[in-house]
Short mmCIF file of all heavy atoms in Angstrom, two decimals:
data_model
loop_
_atom_site.label_atom_id
_atom_site.label_comp_id
_atom_site.label_asym_id
_atom_site.label_seq_id
_atom_site.Cartn_x
_atom_site.Cartn_y
_atom_site.Cartn_z
N VAL A 328 -22.72 67.70 -14.54
CA VAL A 328 -22.13 68.88 -15.07
C VAL A 328 -23.04 70.10 -15.11
O VAL A 328 -22.72 71.13 -15.61
CB VAL A 328 -21.62 68.59 -16.59
CG1 VAL A 328 -20.41 67.70 -16.60
CG2 VAL A 328 -22.72 68.09 -17.46
N LEU A 329 -24.28 69.80 -14.83
CA LEU A 329 -25.27 70.95 -14.73
C LEU A 329 -25.45 71.45 -13.40
O LEU A 329 -26.14 72.56 -13.24
CB LEU A 329 -26.65 70.52 -15.40
CG LEU A 329 -26.75 69.93 -16.89
CD1 LEU A 329 -28.10 69.43 -17.13
CD2 LEU A 329 -26.26 71.01 -17.78
N ARG A 330 -24.93 70.81 -12.32
CA ARG A 330 -25.14 71.16 -10.98
C ARG A 330 -24.29 72.37 -10.48
O ARG A 330 -23.38 72.17 -9.71
CB ARG A 330 -25.05 69.95 -10.14
CG ARG A 330 -25.94 68.80 -10.50
CD ARG A 330 -25.67 67.70 -9.52
NE ARG A 330 -26.41 66.47 -9.96
CZ ARG A 330 -26.34 65.32 -9.31
NH1 ARG A 330 -25.41 65.19 -8.29
NH2 ARG A 330 -26.99 64.30 -9.72
N MET A 331 -24.48 73.52 -11.06
CA MET A 331 -23.69 74.70 -10.64
C MET A 331 -24.67 75.79 -10.20
O MET A 331 -25.37 76.31 -10.97
CB MET A 331 -22.68 75.13 -11.68
CG MET A 331 -21.60 74.17 -12.03
SD MET A 331 -20.55 74.74 -13.30
CE MET A 331 -21.48 74.32 -14.77
N PRO A 332 -24.46 76.30 -8.93
CA PRO A 332 -25.42 77.26 -8.34
C PRO A 332 -24.81 78.65 -8.85
O PRO A 332 -25.53 79.63 -8.71
CB PRO A 332 -25.21 77.23 -6.96
CG PRO A 332 -23.85 76.66 -6.72
CD PRO A 332 -23.62 75.70 -7.80
N ASP A 333 -23.70 78.76 -9.56
CA ASP A 333 -23.18 80.06 -9.82
C ASP A 333 -23.03 80.35 -11.35
O ASP A 333 -22.62 81.42 -11.87
CB ASP A 333 -21.83 80.40 -9.17
CG ASP A 333 -20.90 79.23 -9.20
OD1 ASP A 333 -21.26 78.16 -9.68
OD2 ASP A 333 -19.62 79.39 -8.92
N ILE A 334 -23.22 79.29 -12.15
CA ILE A 334 -22.99 79.38 -13.58
C ILE A 334 -24.19 78.68 -14.38
O ILE A 334 -24.46 77.60 -14.20
CB ILE A 334 -21.67 78.60 -14.13
CG1 ILE A 334 -20.47 79.32 -13.25
CG2 ILE A 334 -21.51 78.86 -15.64
CD1 ILE A 334 -19.17 78.54 -13.55
N PRO A 335 -24.79 79.48 -15.28
CA PRO A 335 -25.86 78.88 -16.02
C PRO A 335 -25.28 77.67 -16.96
O PRO A 335 -24.14 77.91 -17.46
CB PRO A 335 -26.33 79.96 -16.94
CG PRO A 335 -26.06 81.18 -16.27
CD PRO A 335 -24.70 80.79 -15.44
N ALA A 336 -25.96 76.60 -17.08
CA ALA A 336 -25.49 75.45 -17.84
C ALA A 336 -26.45 74.72 -18.59
O ALA A 336 -27.64 74.65 -18.23
CB ALA A 336 -24.76 74.54 -16.81
N MET A 337 -26.11 74.17 -19.70
CA MET A 337 -26.96 73.34 -20.47
C MET A 337 -26.18 72.20 -21.12
O MET A 337 -24.95 72.21 -21.20
CB MET A 337 -27.51 74.19 -21.67
CG MET A 337 -26.55 74.53 -22.73
SD MET A 337 -27.24 75.48 -24.12
CE MET A 337 -27.25 77.11 -23.36
N LEU A 338 -26.88 71.06 -21.37
CA LEU A 338 -26.25 69.89 -21.97
C LEU A 338 -26.99 69.68 -23.32
O LEU A 338 -28.18 69.55 -23.46
CB LEU A 338 -26.45 68.74 -21.17
CG LEU A 338 -25.69 67.47 -21.63
CD1 LEU A 338 -25.17 66.66 -20.29
CD2 LEU A 338 -26.55 66.58 -22.49
N VAL A 339 -26.23 69.65 -24.43
CA VAL A 339 -26.90 69.52 -25.76
C VAL A 339 -26.51 68.10 -26.36
O VAL A 339 -25.38 67.72 -26.49
CB VAL A 339 -26.15 70.49 -26.81
CG1 VAL A 339 -26.80 70.30 -28.14
CG2 VAL A 339 -26.40 71.96 -26.35
N GLU A 340 -27.61 67.32 -26.49
CA GLU A 340 -27.45 66.00 -27.13
C GLU A 340 -27.73 66.31 -28.64
O GLU A 340 -28.80 66.66 -29.10
CB GLU A 340 -28.57 65.17 -26.63
CG GLU A 340 -28.33 64.66 -25.23
CD GLU A 340 -27.31 63.49 -24.97
OE1 GLU A 340 -26.55 63.32 -25.88
OE2 GLU A 340 -27.18 63.00 -23.89
N MET A 341 -26.61 66.20 -29.42
CA MET A 341 -26.61 66.61 -30.80
C MET A 341 -27.39 65.78 -31.82
O MET A 341 -27.83 66.26 -32.80
CB MET A 341 -25.20 66.73 -31.29
CG MET A 341 -24.40 67.87 -30.43
SD MET A 341 -22.57 67.98 -31.01
CE MET A 341 -22.07 66.33 -30.35
N ALA A 342 -27.59 64.49 -31.24
CA ALA A 342 -28.24 63.53 -32.16
C ALA A 342 -28.09 62.13 -31.46
O ALA A 342 -27.32 62.11 -30.45
CB ALA A 342 -27.78 63.50 -33.57
N PHE A 343 -28.70 61.13 -32.04
CA PHE A 343 -28.52 59.75 -31.53
C PHE A 343 -27.53 59.20 -32.41
O PHE A 343 -27.70 58.78 -33.51
CB PHE A 343 -29.71 58.99 -31.58
CG PHE A 343 -30.69 59.22 -30.36
CD1 PHE A 343 -31.53 60.27 -30.24
CD2 PHE A 343 -30.74 58.41 -29.23
CE1 PHE A 343 -32.27 60.64 -29.14
CE2 PHE A 343 -31.51 58.64 -28.13
CZ PHE A 343 -32.19 59.75 -28.12
N ILE A 344 -26.35 58.84 -31.82
CA ILE A 344 -25.24 58.17 -32.59
C ILE A 344 -25.54 56.81 -32.86
O ILE A 344 -25.06 56.08 -33.73
CB ILE A 344 -23.87 58.36 -31.80
CG1 ILE A 344 -22.75 58.32 -32.69
CG2 ILE A 344 -23.81 57.33 -30.65
CD1 ILE A 344 -21.36 58.60 -32.12
N SER A 345 -26.52 56.23 -32.08
CA SER A 345 -26.98 54.81 -32.33
C SER A 345 -27.91 54.76 -33.49
O SER A 345 -28.26 53.66 -33.94
CB SER A 345 -27.75 54.41 -31.03
OG SER A 345 -28.69 55.33 -30.60
N ASN A 346 -28.41 55.88 -34.07
CA ASN A 346 -29.22 55.87 -35.24
C ASN A 346 -28.31 55.96 -36.39
O ASN A 346 -27.49 56.86 -36.55
CB ASN A 346 -30.10 57.04 -35.21
CG ASN A 346 -31.02 57.11 -36.47
OD1 ASN A 346 -30.51 57.37 -37.61
ND2 ASN A 346 -32.19 56.82 -36.40
N PRO A 347 -28.28 54.93 -37.37
CA PRO A 347 -27.33 54.87 -38.43
C PRO A 347 -27.28 56.17 -39.30
O PRO A 347 -26.21 56.66 -39.77
CB PRO A 347 -27.77 53.62 -39.22
CG PRO A 347 -28.46 52.83 -38.37
CD PRO A 347 -29.23 53.78 -37.38
N GLN A 348 -28.45 56.76 -39.57
CA GLN A 348 -28.44 58.07 -40.44
C GLN A 348 -27.77 59.24 -39.68
O GLN A 348 -27.05 59.91 -40.24
CB GLN A 348 -29.92 58.25 -40.82
CG GLN A 348 -30.55 57.36 -41.89
CD GLN A 348 -30.92 56.03 -41.22
OE1 GLN A 348 -31.44 55.98 -40.08
NE2 GLN A 348 -30.76 55.01 -42.05
N GLU A 349 -28.13 59.38 -38.45
CA GLU A 349 -27.63 60.43 -37.63
C GLU A 349 -26.14 60.23 -37.38
O GLU A 349 -25.39 61.05 -37.34
CB GLU A 349 -28.41 60.52 -36.33
CG GLU A 349 -29.81 61.12 -36.53
CD GLU A 349 -30.51 61.59 -35.41
OE1 GLU A 349 -30.17 61.28 -34.27
OE2 GLU A 349 -31.33 62.58 -35.61
N GLU A 350 -25.72 58.93 -37.25
CA GLU A 350 -24.23 58.68 -37.07
C GLU A 350 -23.53 59.12 -38.17
O GLU A 350 -22.52 59.71 -38.09
CB GLU A 350 -24.01 57.21 -36.72
CG GLU A 350 -22.53 56.87 -36.69
CD GLU A 350 -22.38 55.30 -36.68
OE1 GLU A 350 -23.42 54.54 -36.87
OE2 GLU A 350 -21.18 54.77 -36.41
N LYS A 351 -24.09 58.90 -39.43
CA LYS A 351 -23.37 59.19 -40.58
C LYS A 351 -23.17 60.64 -40.79
O LYS A 351 -22.24 61.26 -41.14
CB LYS A 351 -24.15 58.55 -41.82
CG LYS A 351 -23.47 58.81 -43.12
CD LYS A 351 -24.26 58.09 -44.24
CE LYS A 351 -23.60 58.40 -45.67
NZ LYS A 351 -24.36 57.68 -46.74
N ARG A 352 -24.29 61.44 -40.51
CA ARG A 352 -24.25 62.91 -40.60
C ARG A 352 -23.42 63.43 -39.54
O ARG A 352 -22.75 64.46 -39.86
CB ARG A 352 -25.78 63.28 -40.49
CG ARG A 352 -26.65 63.23 -41.58
CD ARG A 352 -27.83 64.12 -41.53
NE ARG A 352 -28.67 63.72 -40.50
CZ ARG A 352 -29.75 62.92 -40.65
NH1 ARG A 352 -30.04 62.43 -41.84
NH2 ARG A 352 -30.61 62.61 -39.67
N LEU A 353 -23.41 63.02 -38.30
CA LEU A 353 -22.51 63.61 -37.36
C LEU A 353 -21.06 63.58 -37.64
O LEU A 353 -20.25 64.42 -37.11
CB LEU A 353 -22.68 62.78 -35.93
CG LEU A 353 -23.89 63.21 -35.11
CD1 LEU A 353 -24.08 62.15 -33.88
CD2 LEU A 353 -23.86 64.53 -34.62
N LYS A 354 -20.55 62.67 -38.60
CA LYS A 354 -19.28 62.65 -38.89
C LYS A 354 -18.83 63.66 -40.00
O LYS A 354 -17.60 63.78 -40.23
CB LYS A 354 -18.99 61.19 -39.42
CG LYS A 354 -18.96 60.09 -38.38
CD LYS A 354 -19.10 58.67 -38.97
CE LYS A 354 -17.76 58.31 -39.75
NZ LYS A 354 -17.71 56.85 -40.04
N THR A 355 -19.84 64.35 -40.45
CA THR A 355 -19.44 65.24 -41.62
C THR A 355 -19.33 66.65 -41.08
O THR A 355 -19.82 67.10 -40.06
CB THR A 355 -20.70 65.29 -42.67
OG1 THR A 355 -21.75 65.90 -41.98
CG2 THR A 355 -21.01 63.91 -43.12
N LYS A 356 -18.45 67.50 -41.74
CA LYS A 356 -18.01 68.75 -41.39
C LYS A 356 -19.45 69.68 -41.55
O LYS A 356 -19.68 70.57 -40.66
CB LYS A 356 -16.96 69.33 -42.24
CG LYS A 356 -16.68 70.76 -41.93
CD LYS A 356 -15.58 71.35 -42.99
CE LYS A 356 -15.34 72.79 -42.81
NZ LYS A 356 -14.30 73.33 -43.64
N LYS A 357 -20.19 69.33 -42.55
CA LYS A 357 -21.43 70.14 -42.75
C LYS A 357 -22.36 70.10 -41.58
O LYS A 357 -22.82 71.11 -41.00
CB LYS A 357 -22.10 69.73 -43.97
CG LYS A 357 -23.41 70.38 -44.30
CD LYS A 357 -24.05 69.84 -45.59
CE LYS A 357 -25.27 70.59 -45.92
NZ LYS A 357 -25.98 70.04 -47.12
N GLN A 358 -22.52 68.88 -41.12
CA GLN A 358 -23.46 68.77 -39.87
C GLN A 358 -22.83 69.23 -38.60
O GLN A 358 -23.53 69.89 -37.85
CB GLN A 358 -23.72 67.28 -39.70
CG GLN A 358 -24.83 67.03 -38.62
CD GLN A 358 -26.23 67.40 -39.00
OE1 GLN A 358 -26.51 67.90 -40.11
NE2 GLN A 358 -27.15 67.16 -38.12
N GLN A 359 -21.50 69.08 -38.44
CA GLN A 359 -20.84 69.60 -37.24
C GLN A 359 -20.99 71.17 -37.20
O GLN A 359 -21.22 71.66 -36.27
CB GLN A 359 -19.54 69.15 -37.16
CG GLN A 359 -19.30 67.56 -36.84
CD GLN A 359 -17.88 67.15 -36.96
OE1 GLN A 359 -16.95 68.00 -37.16
NE2 GLN A 359 -17.67 65.81 -36.95
N MET A 360 -20.70 71.76 -38.37
CA MET A 360 -20.84 73.26 -38.48
C MET A 360 -22.23 73.75 -38.23
O MET A 360 -22.58 74.75 -37.76
CB MET A 360 -20.28 73.74 -39.80
CG MET A 360 -18.77 73.72 -39.93
SD MET A 360 -17.92 74.62 -38.70
CE MET A 360 -18.39 76.28 -39.28
N LYS A 361 -23.19 72.90 -38.76
CA LYS A 361 -24.69 73.31 -38.59
C LYS A 361 -24.98 73.37 -37.13
O LYS A 361 -25.71 74.33 -36.62
CB LYS A 361 -25.49 72.26 -39.28
CG LYS A 361 -27.02 72.67 -39.33
CD LYS A 361 -27.85 71.61 -40.01
CE LYS A 361 -27.64 71.45 -41.47
NZ LYS A 361 -28.52 70.42 -42.14
N ILE A 362 -24.47 72.47 -36.35
CA ILE A 362 -24.77 72.31 -35.01
C ILE A 362 -24.06 73.44 -34.23
O ILE A 362 -24.66 74.17 -33.41
CB ILE A 362 -24.38 70.94 -34.30
CG1 ILE A 362 -25.22 69.86 -34.91
CG2 ILE A 362 -24.32 71.01 -32.87
CD1 ILE A 362 -24.61 68.48 -34.65
N ALA A 363 -22.81 73.77 -34.48
CA ALA A 363 -21.94 74.82 -33.96
C ALA A 363 -22.54 76.10 -34.15
O ALA A 363 -22.71 76.93 -33.30
CB ALA A 363 -20.60 74.64 -34.43
N LYS A 364 -23.10 76.42 -35.37
CA LYS A 364 -23.64 77.67 -35.75
C LYS A 364 -24.97 77.89 -35.08
O LYS A 364 -25.29 79.06 -34.61
CB LYS A 364 -23.85 77.79 -37.22
CG LYS A 364 -22.54 77.98 -37.98
CD LYS A 364 -22.70 78.07 -39.47
CE LYS A 364 -21.33 78.46 -40.18
NZ LYS A 364 -21.45 78.39 -41.63
N SER A 365 -25.80 76.80 -34.84
CA SER A 365 -27.06 76.87 -34.16
C SER A 365 -26.89 77.34 -32.70
O SER A 365 -27.60 78.16 -32.10
CB SER A 365 -27.85 75.70 -34.37
OG SER A 365 -28.13 75.42 -35.69
N ILE A 366 -25.89 76.68 -32.04
CA ILE A 366 -25.61 76.98 -30.68
C ILE A 366 -25.14 78.32 -30.61
O ILE A 366 -25.48 79.13 -29.57
CB ILE A 366 -24.60 75.89 -30.23
CG1 ILE A 366 -25.09 74.50 -30.13
CG2 ILE A 366 -23.99 76.28 -28.72
CD1 ILE A 366 -24.14 73.38 -29.79
N LEU A 367 -24.21 78.81 -31.40
CA LEU A 367 -23.62 80.17 -31.38
C LEU A 367 -24.85 81.16 -31.48
O LEU A 367 -24.87 82.20 -30.69
CB LEU A 367 -22.59 80.44 -32.50
CG LEU A 367 -22.07 81.78 -32.69
CD1 LEU A 367 -21.40 82.29 -31.41
CD2 LEU A 367 -21.25 81.94 -33.95
N THR A 368 -25.71 80.94 -32.45
CA THR A 368 -26.80 81.86 -32.71
C THR A 368 -27.63 82.02 -31.37
O THR A 368 -28.11 83.09 -30.95
CB THR A 368 -27.67 81.53 -33.80
OG1 THR A 368 -26.83 81.48 -35.04
CG2 THR A 368 -28.72 82.47 -34.07
N GLY A 369 -27.96 80.83 -30.82
CA GLY A 369 -28.75 80.77 -29.66
C GLY A 369 -27.97 81.55 -28.43
O GLY A 369 -28.73 82.24 -27.66
N VAL A 370 -26.77 81.32 -28.16
CA VAL A 370 -25.96 81.98 -27.32
C VAL A 370 -25.96 83.54 -27.39
O VAL A 370 -25.92 84.24 -26.49
CB VAL A 370 -24.56 81.39 -27.20
CG1 VAL A 370 -23.59 82.21 -26.31
CG2 VAL A 370 -24.54 79.92 -26.72
N LYS A 371 -25.81 83.94 -28.67
CA LYS A 371 -25.69 85.32 -28.89
C LYS A 371 -27.00 86.03 -28.50
O LYS A 371 -27.10 87.17 -28.01
CB LYS A 371 -25.36 85.69 -30.35
CG LYS A 371 -23.76 85.36 -30.67
CD LYS A 371 -23.43 85.61 -32.06
CE LYS A 371 -23.80 87.01 -32.53
NZ LYS A 371 -23.37 87.32 -33.97
N SER A 372 -28.10 85.35 -28.94
CA SER A 372 -29.37 85.93 -28.80
C SER A 372 -29.62 86.00 -27.20
O SER A 372 -30.15 87.06 -26.73
CB SER A 372 -30.48 84.90 -29.36
OG SER A 372 -31.61 85.23 -28.93
N TYR A 373 -29.18 85.09 -26.43
CA TYR A 373 -29.35 85.06 -24.99
C TYR A 373 -28.58 86.35 -24.33
O TYR A 373 -29.10 87.06 -23.62
CB TYR A 373 -28.84 83.82 -24.22
CG TYR A 373 -28.85 83.87 -22.74
CD1 TYR A 373 -29.97 83.91 -22.04
CD2 TYR A 373 -27.62 83.93 -22.27
CE1 TYR A 373 -29.96 84.12 -20.66
CE2 TYR A 373 -27.50 84.14 -20.78
CZ TYR A 373 -28.72 84.27 -20.10
OH TYR A 373 -28.60 84.26 -18.69
N PHE A 374 -27.28 86.46 -24.75
CA PHE A 374 -26.53 87.42 -24.11
C PHE A 374 -26.78 88.91 -24.73
O PHE A 374 -26.53 89.81 -24.01
CB PHE A 374 -24.96 87.12 -24.42
CG PHE A 374 -24.45 86.05 -23.45
CD1 PHE A 374 -23.91 84.83 -23.88
CD2 PHE A 374 -24.56 86.28 -22.03
CE1 PHE A 374 -23.44 83.90 -23.01
CE2 PHE A 374 -24.03 85.36 -21.17
CZ PHE A 374 -23.60 84.09 -21.60
N LYS A 375 -27.37 88.91 -25.83
CA LYS A 375 -27.87 90.35 -26.19
C LYS A 375 -28.85 90.81 -25.29
O LYS A 375 -28.91 92.05 -25.08
CB LYS A 375 -28.53 90.17 -27.64
CG LYS A 375 -27.51 90.30 -28.79
CD LYS A 375 -28.16 90.16 -30.07
CE LYS A 375 -27.20 90.16 -31.32
NZ LYS A 375 -28.03 90.12 -32.58
N SER A 376 -29.78 90.02 -24.82
CA SER A 376 -30.88 90.44 -23.89
C SER A 376 -30.49 90.29 -22.48
O SER A 376 -31.06 90.86 -21.59
CB SER A 376 -32.13 89.69 -24.22
OG SER A 376 -31.87 88.23 -24.05
N HIS A 377 -29.41 89.53 -22.13
CA HIS A 377 -28.94 89.28 -20.79
C HIS A 377 -27.46 89.50 -20.71
O HIS A 377 -26.70 88.54 -20.26
CB HIS A 377 -29.34 87.90 -20.14
CG HIS A 377 -30.86 87.70 -20.29
ND1 HIS A 377 -31.53 87.33 -21.30
CD2 HIS A 377 -31.70 87.76 -19.27
CE1 HIS A 377 -32.72 87.17 -21.00
NE2 HIS A 377 -32.99 87.49 -19.67
N PRO A 378 -26.81 90.71 -20.96
CA PRO A 378 -25.42 90.76 -21.00
C PRO A 378 -24.94 90.83 -19.57
O PRO A 378 -25.46 91.59 -18.73
CB PRO A 378 -25.21 92.08 -21.77
CG PRO A 378 -26.42 92.87 -21.36
CD PRO A 378 -27.51 91.88 -21.44
N PRO A 379 -23.79 90.12 -19.20
CA PRO A 379 -23.24 90.25 -17.84
C PRO A 379 -22.77 91.58 -17.62
O PRO A 379 -22.19 92.35 -18.54
CB PRO A 379 -22.10 89.14 -17.91
CG PRO A 379 -22.50 88.23 -19.05
CD PRO A 379 -23.17 89.07 -20.06
N ASP A 380 -22.78 92.06 -16.37
CA ASP A 380 -22.21 93.42 -16.05
C ASP A 380 -20.67 93.47 -16.30
O ASP A 380 -20.04 92.49 -16.12
CB ASP A 380 -22.39 93.65 -14.48
CG ASP A 380 -23.94 93.85 -14.21
OD1 ASP A 380 -24.60 94.20 -15.03
OD2 ASP A 380 -24.26 93.74 -12.98
N GLY A 381 -20.35 94.66 -16.91
CA GLY A 381 -18.89 94.84 -17.19
C GLY A 381 -18.53 94.22 -18.51
O GLY A 381 -17.35 94.43 -18.89
N SER A 382 -19.43 93.51 -19.13
CA SER A 382 -18.92 92.93 -20.44
C SER A 382 -19.21 93.92 -21.59
O SER A 382 -19.88 94.87 -21.52
CB SER A 382 -19.89 91.68 -20.72
OG SER A 382 -21.17 92.13 -20.94
N PHE A 383 -18.56 93.51 -22.73
CA PHE A 383 -18.60 94.36 -24.01
C PHE A 383 -20.06 94.41 -24.35
O PHE A 383 -20.57 95.45 -24.86
CB PHE A 383 -17.77 93.70 -25.07
CG PHE A 383 -17.92 94.33 -26.51
CD1 PHE A 383 -17.40 95.63 -26.60
CD2 PHE A 383 -18.60 93.68 -27.47
CE1 PHE A 383 -17.61 96.22 -27.95
CE2 PHE A 383 -18.88 94.30 -28.71
CZ PHE A 383 -18.30 95.58 -28.99
N TYR A 384 -20.78 93.39 -24.28
CA TYR A 384 -22.29 93.29 -24.66
C TYR A 384 -23.06 94.22 -23.91
O TYR A 384 -23.98 94.82 -24.25
CB TYR A 384 -22.72 91.87 -24.59
CG TYR A 384 -22.58 90.89 -25.77
CD1 TYR A 384 -21.45 90.89 -26.41
CD2 TYR A 384 -23.62 90.17 -26.25
CE1 TYR A 384 -21.33 90.16 -27.63
CE2 TYR A 384 -23.43 89.19 -27.32
CZ TYR A 384 -22.34 89.45 -27.97
OH TYR A 384 -22.14 88.48 -29.08
N ALA A 385 -22.62 94.30 -22.61
CA ALA A 385 -23.42 95.22 -21.60
C ALA A 385 -23.16 96.77 -22.00
O ALA A 385 -24.01 97.55 -21.95
CB ALA A 385 -22.91 95.10 -20.23
N SER A 386 -21.93 96.99 -22.44
CA SER A 386 -21.60 98.36 -22.91
C SER A 386 -22.32 98.76 -24.22
O SER A 386 -22.73 99.87 -24.27
CB SER A 386 -20.14 98.53 -23.18
OG SER A 386 -19.72 97.77 -24.29
N LEU A 387 -22.61 97.76 -25.01
CA LEU A 387 -23.45 98.01 -26.13
C LEU A 387 -24.86 98.23 -25.86
O LEU A 387 -25.60 99.20 -26.46
CB LEU A 387 -23.23 96.93 -27.15
CG LEU A 387 -22.00 96.62 -27.90
CD1 LEU A 387 -22.08 95.43 -28.81
CD2 LEU A 387 -21.69 97.86 -28.70
N ALA A 388 -25.42 97.32 -25.01
CA ALA A 388 -26.83 97.57 -24.49
C ALA A 388 -27.12 99.01 -23.80
O ALA A 388 -28.20 99.51 -23.98
CB ALA A 388 -27.13 96.46 -23.59
#
Side-chain angles (χ1 to χ4, degrees):
V328 291
L329 299 179
R330 299 179 188 178
M331 288 181 283
D333 48 347
I334 303 175
M337 71 181 79
L338 187 147
V339 179
E340 292 281 8
M341 300 177 288
F343 276 80
I344 203 170
S345 52
N346 179 287
Q348 289 75 36
E349 293 198 330
E350 176 188 9
K351 184 177 179 180
R352 282 196 292 269
L353 280 172
K354 294 166 68 175
T355 66
K356 178 181 177 180
K357 181 180 178 180
Q358 184 71 359
Q359 291 174 7
M360 285 299 293
K361 186 185 291 187
I362 294 168
K364 287 179 178 178
S365 297
I366 295 173
L367 172 64
T368 303
V370 167
K371 286 177 64 177
S372 171
Y373 170 72
F374 283 121
K375 277 183 183 180
S376 56
H377 298 82
D380 290 340
S382 67
F383 173 73
Y384 271 44
S386 71
L387 291 177

